[in-house]
Amino acid sequence: MAGDAPLLERLAQMPAVPAAEATDLLERLDDVAKDPLLGPLFGVDEEGDAVVNPLVPSVLQQFQEKADLTCYAALLEGLTGIWNAAVRAAVVARLRAAGLPPDDLLLRLQALSPTLGFKAEKGEWAREWLADPFTQDALLVQQCVVRMLLALRALAETRASELAGG
């Protein structure tokens, strides 16, 4: 495998797959609950009724609303969101350990990097985030994971079609 291109490079070379394909894919799968990537997002409750992770419909709606969104772009957005949450958590932990007061911490975070999201957001959001970063970023990370799983599965379906000859 030493000669293989890195995964993101290989995915970038694939034909553009509209993110909306994820919805069509879910409708085509015989039993989504048995799919190794998407199965954990679906299940059955105590009464035997089908249930879906509450983030799936909102992510699929985003995929449908952005007509020009590709699965590759959705995958990168998901990775970026998770990366930003991880970096925010690491930076805040270090700055808090250094004894920086909350207001100084907020100013420092806004100055550090626009990609961490503090500069673009309103001050109130940043204060709420600082009060409880786990809750604020946990939902973001979960949404990003759902986004990545749906995008990867749709990309994989396209690749499988290429490998199997249509």
Side-chain angles (χ1 to χ4, degrees):
M1 284 239 204
D4 281 349
L7 175 64
L8 290 178
E9 285 181 32
R10 286 184 282 154
L11 292 175
Q13 292 171 8
M14 288 182 60
V17 176
E21 288 284 321
T23 304
D24 298 337
L25 173 63
L26 289 176
E27 293 170 358
R28 286 194 317 267
L29 289 175
D30 291 332
D31 190 356
V32 176
K34 291 185 179 178
D35 187 87
L37 241 56
L38 303 179
L41 301 175
F42 297 84
V44 178
D45 65 12
E46 296 82 32
E47 286 110 37
D49 296 325
V51 293
V52 62
N53 179 302
L55 296 172
V56 170
S58 66
V59 170
L60 288 173
Q61 183 178 356
Q62 291 169 8
F63 283 7
Q64 293 293 329
E65 290 174 354
K66 294 182 178 179
D68 59 339
L69 181 66
T70 65
C71 286
Y72 183 74
L75 174 63
L76 290 180
E77 287 173 0
L79 283 170
T80 301
I82 292 169
W83 172 254
N84 287 344
V87 172
R88 275 193 297 265
V91 168
V92 168
R94 286 175 182 256
L95 293 176
R96 281 189 173 152
L100 209 58
D103 284 342
D104 292 343
L105 180 64
L106 182 56
L107 291 172
R108 182 89 180 268
L109 287 169
Q110 288 172 331
L112 282 176
S113 173
T115 61
L116 294 181
F118 289 104
K119 217 171 209 171
E121 297 293 339
K122 298 194 180 348
E124 191 56 36
W125 177 87
R127 287 189 199 308
E128 288 175 16
W129 187 90
L130 281 173
D132 187 8
F134 173 80
T135 301
Q136 298 297 324
D137 273 349
L139 184 59
L140 167 69
V141 169
Q142 290 171 16
Q143 181 196 29
C144 288
V145 168
V146 169
R147 182 180 207 79
M148 289 172 30
L149 290 174
L150 289 168
L152 274 172
R153 186 58 177 88
L155 282 166
E157 193 66 24
T158 298
R159 181 67 176 138
S161 180
E162 288 175 357
L163 291 172

